[in-house]
Amino acid sequence: HVNTGAASAALTGEQCSSNTIHWTYDTWMFAKSSGGATVRAGGDTWFFITADYAFGHQLERDTTRFVEQAGGRLLGRARFPFPGTTDFSSFLVQAQASRAKVVALATAAADTVNCLKQAREFGLTRRGGPKVVGMIMFTTDIHAMGLEVAQGLLLTEVFYWDLNDRTRAFMNRIRPKVPNNWPNQEHAGTYAGTLHYLKAVADLGVAQAKASGRAVIERMKAMPTDDDCFGPGRVRPDGRKIHPAYLFEVKRPEESRGPWDYYKLVGTTPAEEAFRPESEGGCQMMR
């Protein structure tokens, strides 16, 4: 099981498995990158708008930890019913009233997009207002909303097509196949995880790989990783693939050179610091 889309850090913690590799991101990483780096940039008071279920609670809890470790403070939170909420006005009013410098959206997918659109209508994203942090967002979300709505937003991704020479080379190879839907970090994780799996099968031998999925996972952990999306890296014994995390700010419309040119790099968390230490995860394989 090479998981490239789930966000729960439990996959390499209390729910870890010798048959699983968790590739792209998790809640701990998003919290570490977006929480600590934003405080260091001056955003030292926070208010959360949080999806009221386990995912949202974990993301809020992990982020608050890093905010406080960096010297920031939590001024309040508003938790909305999940699923089914489409009107975020009352939660945005509470965020405005808190006068926090940062409004963090511990949400995902359509909830994040809807909340951001309404935040724009309420004036939260105007210049001089609080910084809005999308705790889990993708460049495809920014493309769907447009820079007029998303400008100034802070978010973390572990892949961006214009990050370096290798990511640009990857994009140039696949652009003819995806002219209107460029890859986000989850697409990149699926590509890179599959590539490393195939390398492990080739190294192990097809017959042995077919005989034992666990043997393939062990070989994937033993082999260094390297691809154009994430560069060189490794898979830890607990199944966590590690790589740097990048805090971006969404460009203003006049700063963008064209479609998909959306991000300015604010800060980088090195690979060995970006994910939860193995000793803290509670994975039984580490005992």
Side-chain angles (χ1 to χ4, degrees):
H1 180 201
V2 183
N3 194 308
T4 63
S8 175
L11 285 176
T12 53
E14 62 270 21
Q15 298 296 327
C16 71
S17 166
S18 58
N19 296 305
T20 299
I21 288 176
H22 198 184
W23 195 276
T24 316
Y25 46 68
D26 61 34
T27 52
W28 198 98
M29 180 280 296
F30 282 120
K32 177 70 179 291
S33 174
S34 297
T38 301
V39 173
R40 289 191 292 273
D44 57 2
T45 53
W46 285 57
F47 187 97
F48 279 90
I49 297 177
T50 302
D52 194 9
Y53 71 115
F55 156 78
H57 296 176
Q58 182 175 2
L59 190 55
E60 178 191 299
R61 182 173 61 250
D62 288 345
T63 307
T64 299
R65 170 189 173 189
F66 293 116
V67 166
E68 292 176 346
Q69 285 180 353
R73 292 183 296 129
L74 176 62
L75 298 187
R77 67 171 65 88
R79 290 179 171 172
F80 66 88
F82 175 90
T85 299
T86 57
D87 182 1
F88 292 88
S89 57
S90 65
F91 312 114
L92 291 166
V93 168
Q94 293 178 58
Q96 280 184 313
S98 75
R99 298 189 179 277
K101 296 178 183 177
V102 177
V103 176
L105 308 182
T107 60
D111 288 334
T112 302
V113 173
N114 288 336
C115 193
L116 275 170
K117 288 180 178 179
Q118 292 171 39
R120 177 77 174 167
E121 295 170 3
F122 273 75
L124 252 73
T125 58
R126 68 179 183 274
R127 293 189 194 183
K131 278 290 184 184
V132 178
V133 177
M135 294 304 302
I136 298 185
M137 292 202 70
F138 306 87
T139 186
T140 39
D141 295 324
I142 306 305
H143 186 74
M145 286 187 291
L147 294 182
E148 190 64 36
V149 172
Q151 60 182 302
L153 179 74
L154 293 175
L155 58 91
T156 289
E157 290 214 52
V158 292
F159 166 84
Y160 177 50
W161 71 268
D162 200 21
L163 188 64
N164 55 48
D165 288 343
R166 293 189 72 178
T167 58
R168 286 186 285 271
F170 169 76
M171 190 63 233
N172 287 336
R173 290 199 307 275
I174 69 168
R175 183 179 294 159
K177 298 182 180 181
V178 289
N180 301 311
N181 189 25
W182 291 20
N184 61 37
Q185 58 189 342
E186 188 171 328
H187 301 128
T190 302
Y191 164 81
T194 302
L195 181 63
H196 190 59
Y197 163 77
L198 293 172
K199 289 178 179 179
V201 169
D203 189 66
L204 187 63
V206 173
Q208 189 173 352
K210 285 184 175 181
S212 173
R214 182 169 180 174
V216 179
I217 294 292
E218 290 173 352
R219 188 60 56 95
M220 291 176 74
K221 292 177 180 179
M223 296 172 60
T225 65
D226 194 15
D227 60 81
D228 283 346
C229 293
F230 299 94
R234 66 186 180 95
V235 180
R236 297 191 318 202
D238 63 353
R240 178 68 258 171
K241 163 62 169 62
I242 62 169
H243 36 253
Y246 306 99
L247 181 67
F248 295 106
E249 181 176 344
V250 177
K251 291 181 175 182
R252 299 191 300 273
E254 62 268 24
E255 295 176 310
S256 175
R257 297 167 294 174
W260 302 100
D261 177 34
Y262 296 151
Y263 291 164
K264 297 183 290 187
L265 183 63
V266 175
T268 300
T269 305
E272 296 293 339
E273 300 175 17
F275 293 90
R276 180 180 59 202
E278 292 167 280
S279 60
E280 296 181 9
C283 174
Q284 70 270 15
M285 294 188 297
M286 299 296 99
R287 293 172 186 168

